[in-house]
Amino acid sequence: MGLYDTYLAVRHRLHEASPPRHVAVVITERDLLEQGAYETLETFLGWAFEYGADRVTVSVSVLDEAVVDTIARELAEVDAPRRVAVRTPGDTERADAPIRVNIGLGGKREFAAAVRDVAEAVDAGDLAPEDVDETDIERRLVFPEEPDLVIKTGAERLSDFLIWQSVYSELYFTDVNWRDFRRRDYLRAVLDFQNRQRRFGR
């Protein structure tokens, strides 16, 4: 670890504020075509747990769903420090693992599926319309927890990322492309999070 990285790590550890417990990163299928992209992901996961996270969500936006199965196979073989749950557009099972990977399951699609399930429960008489609240949506989501910090590399847009779960997340955009993402870039994101005063919509 270089001197500047060490400096940032010391600042992080001495900071009065807690680090993000749930970190999410948004990348694209194009990012994963770059040489070394999966190695970058492996080291990213290591940094996240090293610097205080206990859960990581990786969201891969795709333009062509034909590539989803190939990406899923590649990501399932990543040398990860914790257990990994991979979910794709056709999956409805909740992703319950320390590392959760979303490949092409856009936030709009996930939210719409949850709403349909609630509507079916109401139609079946299992749920009264006046009793429907946010918990009825949340318990039907594939990716249930809300990230504390969302990191987007390369551009300032979230690519339909977990629109329900990230409503109160702290967003961090960096011009650094995924293939060039380094420890110092991760630490800058964490320090930026620690310097913010979270409002949770208030």
Side-chain angles (χ1 to χ4, degrees):
M1 185 164 57
L3 185 60
Y4 183 59
D5 293 349
T6 301
Y7 163 72
L8 291 175
V10 170
R11 282 185 57 197
H12 154 67
R13 291 199 169 94
L14 295 179
H15 206 290
E16 294 181 354
S18 298
R21 307 303 298 180
H22 182 180
V23 176
V25 61
V26 183
I27 57 180
T28 68
E29 62 178 280
R30 192 175 306 166
D31 289 327
L32 293 177
L33 293 175
E34 297 285 347
Q35 186 174 2
Y38 290 93
E39 288 80 2
T40 298
L41 180 58
E42 291 173 357
T43 53
F44 175 91
L45 294 172
W47 298 329
F49 291 107
E50 179 181 354
Y51 296 113
D54 51 32
R55 177 168 292 117
V56 179
T57 297
V58 180
S59 184
V60 183
S61 62
V62 298
L63 296 176
D64 181 6
E65 286 195 9
V67 305
V68 167
D69 289 343
T70 300
I71 293 175
R73 284 194 300 272
E74 294 286 346
L75 288 172
E77 296 177 2
V78 164
D79 185 13
R82 308 279 172 88
R83 187 167 57 89
V84 179
V86 178
R87 297 293 182 268
T88 61
D91 292 326
T92 58
E93 182 184 357
R94 287 172 75 100
D96 291 323
I99 300 171
R100 303 160 183 208
V101 181
N102 170 12
I103 307 171
L105 176 57
K108 290 182 179 180
R109 182 185 299 196
E110 182 191 27
F111 180 67
V115 170
R116 280 195 303 272
D117 198 50
V118 169
E120 290 170 1
V122 169
D123 188 57
D126 298 328
L127 186 63
E130 62 272 17
D131 293 335
V132 174
D133 61 19
E134 62 270 17
T135 60
D136 293 300
I137 297 293
E138 289 168 357
R139 65 190 182 89
R140 289 171 167 84
L141 296 173
V142 177
F143 293 86
E145 280 85 13
E146 302 174 359
D148 297 310
L149 172 65
V150 177
I151 300 172
K152 177 65 174 71
T153 63
E156 293 192 5
R157 58 183 179 274
L158 287 181
S159 307
D160 194 21
F161 169 80
L162 305 181
I163 57 175
W164 178 280
Q165 300 91 324
S166 62
V167 65
Y168 296 137
S169 301
E170 297 297 324
L171 308 180
Y172 182 85
F173 296 97
T174 174
D175 291 335
V176 177
N177 291 320
W178 179 248
R179 66 175 182 271
D180 301 319
F181 198 80
R182 302 160 295 177
R183 182 190 298 265
R184 64 186 58 184
D185 301 308
Y186 183 78
L187 284 167
R188 285 171 179 153
V190 170
L191 283 166
D192 183 81
F193 174 88
Q194 290 178 292
N195 287 331
R196 297 186 189 186
Q197 181 180 359
R198 302 194 70 189
R199 299 185 181 275
F200 298 97
R202 296 188 295 270

